[in-house]
Amino acid sequence: MESHEEKIETIIEPTHDFFKINWIELWHYRDLLFLLVRRDFVSKYKQTILGPAWFVFQPLMTTVVFTIIFGKFAKIPTHEIPPMLFYLCGLLAWDYFAQCVSGISSSLISNVNLFSKVYFPRLIIPLSIILSNLMKYGLQLVVFLGFFSYFKFFTSASQFIHPNGWLLLLPVMVVITALASLGVGLWVCAMTVKYRDFQHLIGFTVQLWMYGTPIIYPLSLVPEKWKWLVLLNPMTEIVEFYRLAFFGKGTLTFEGVFLSLTVITILFLTGLFAFNKA
């Protein structure tokens, strides 16, 4: 008597529904999410001499270069804030965004072998990058607070540094930054699947984007006729928030915040749509 085995085949296809994200399924795969976060954090610098210290060393070196070039030679004003602290604050906000965008942009390509072996919600990979970079952000925040405390309590610059109640909203701003980077990263990630050129362009684009963000200069230096263009950059008001919260000197307006949140919301929702389609 012959036995007939039933063959079961599951086909995974892109979804065509705009908001079709199974959040319950993402929760069920939380163990995998934490494993991927640990993998991303540990493996990146596992065979390096400095290890996780690279998370701190890189922004510090960038800050020193900015201080010499833009502070000493170009003499770009920083509202009486010590240039090193001014740039370090801007980079604290920017680095988290840039690292998330760069990591998410290549996440589908770099994990293609994993996708072909086992099923799991594909959004797990971008989320793991957001969380692993959050750990790096925490290390950089500790270093920044060290420099901040030094300038605040042991130098004459303390009279220009006025931390305030806006600091209570710092966790909210980190979440908004994560949503902005997730939206941009998902867009590029979806495009990279079809056009590999974006994989080579993203690093250059992020670098240019940084100079379009008020990191090496305060927003108040931007001419009024061009300020609307700078405010279209979702990272502009985020960087200004950091300076307002830590130093008491930042340019936040209702129109600017509303425009920034609108752009971030559009990027996030359309990024999810593009990722689902891909």
Side-chain angles (χ1 to χ4, degrees):
M1 186 175 180
E2 296 182 359
S3 61
H4 299 282
E5 295 183 359
E6 183 180 359
K7 294 182 178 180
I8 300 176
E9 185 179 68
T10 302
I11 300 176
I12 303 174
E13 296 178 332
T15 177
H16 297 284
D17 296 334
F18 193 96
F19 291 108
K20 191 174 182 180
I21 298 175
N22 194 334
W23 300 106
I24 297 179
E25 187 180 39
L26 288 175
W27 174 251
H28 289 163
Y29 281 86
R30 61 188 181 276
D31 291 338
L32 175 61
L33 175 62
F34 295 139
L35 286 174
L36 290 175
V37 170
R38 183 179 181 276
R39 180 201 68 174
D40 291 342
F41 187 79
V42 173
S43 64
K44 189 171 184 180
Y45 298 109
K46 188 176 182 180
Q47 295 180 322
T48 61
I49 297 175
L50 295 178
W54 278 108
F55 302 147
V56 176
F57 183 72
Q58 289 173 327
L60 280 179
M61 289 304 298
T62 304
T63 301
V64 170
V65 172
F66 283 177
T67 302
I68 294 173
I69 296 177
F70 301 110
K72 298 295 184 182
F73 295 122
K75 298 187 181 301
I76 297 177
T78 57
H79 292 321
E80 306 299 333
I81 301 169
M84 188 169 185
L85 197 60
F86 182 87
Y87 302 136
L88 197 59
C89 182
L91 288 172
L92 176 65
W94 172 259
D95 278 351
Y96 179 54
F97 172 80
Q99 290 173 7
C100 288
V101 170
S102 299
I104 295 172
S105 298
S106 59
S107 60
L108 286 183
I109 302 300
S110 58
N111 290 279
V112 64
N113 292 330
L114 183 61
F115 292 151
S116 63
K117 293 177 181 177
V118 63
Y119 170 76
F120 59 90
R122 299 322 189 206
L123 197 59
I124 287 286
I125 296 292
L127 289 178
S128 70
I129 295 171
I130 291 289
L131 293 178
S132 64
N133 283 320
L134 187 60
M135 298 169 68
K136 304 172 191 176
Y137 171 86
L139 291 175
Q140 294 176 4
L141 178 61
V142 170
V143 173
F144 170 75
L145 290 177
F147 279 91
F148 179 84
S149 300
Y150 169 74
F151 281 103
K152 175 62 179 175
F153 300 109
F154 301 102
T155 69
S156 59
S158 60
Q159 58 182 318
F160 304 112
I161 301 174
H162 305 288
N164 49 73
W166 286 105
L167 286 172
L168 297 176
L169 293 179
L170 186 61
V172 176
M173 199 56 56
V174 173
V175 172
I176 292 175
T177 306
L179 292 177
S181 61
L182 188 60
V184 176
L186 290 178
W187 256 115
V188 181
C189 183
M191 299 296 291
T192 303
V193 172
K194 190 172 183 180
Y195 307 104
R196 299 299 174 90
D197 306 76
F198 285 92
Q199 190 174 2
H200 304 289
L201 286 173
I202 186 62
F204 176 71
T205 303
V206 169
Q207 190 70 21
L208 284 180
W209 194 338
M210 184 188 72
Y211 290 105
T213 305
I215 295 174
I216 60 176
Y217 54 89
L219 181 60
S220 58
L221 287 186
V222 179
E224 285 297 329
K225 65 176 181 179
W226 298 113
K227 191 166 287 187
W228 67 270
L229 186 60
V230 178
L231 289 175
L232 282 176
N233 176 358
M235 287 302 297
T236 294
E237 291 291 69
I238 292 177
V239 171
E240 287 295 307
F241 169 86
Y242 273 71
R243 289 180 180 145
L244 178 63
F246 283 104
F247 308 137
K249 296 182 180 180
T251 306
L252 282 184
T253 63
F254 175 79
E255 295 79 6
V257 172
F258 178 77
L259 183 59
S260 180
L261 291 177
T262 301
V263 172
I264 290 172
T265 302
I266 293 174
L267 285 173
F268 176 67
L269 294 178
T270 56
L272 284 177
F273 173 70
F275 187 79
N276 281 339
K277 295 281 287 185

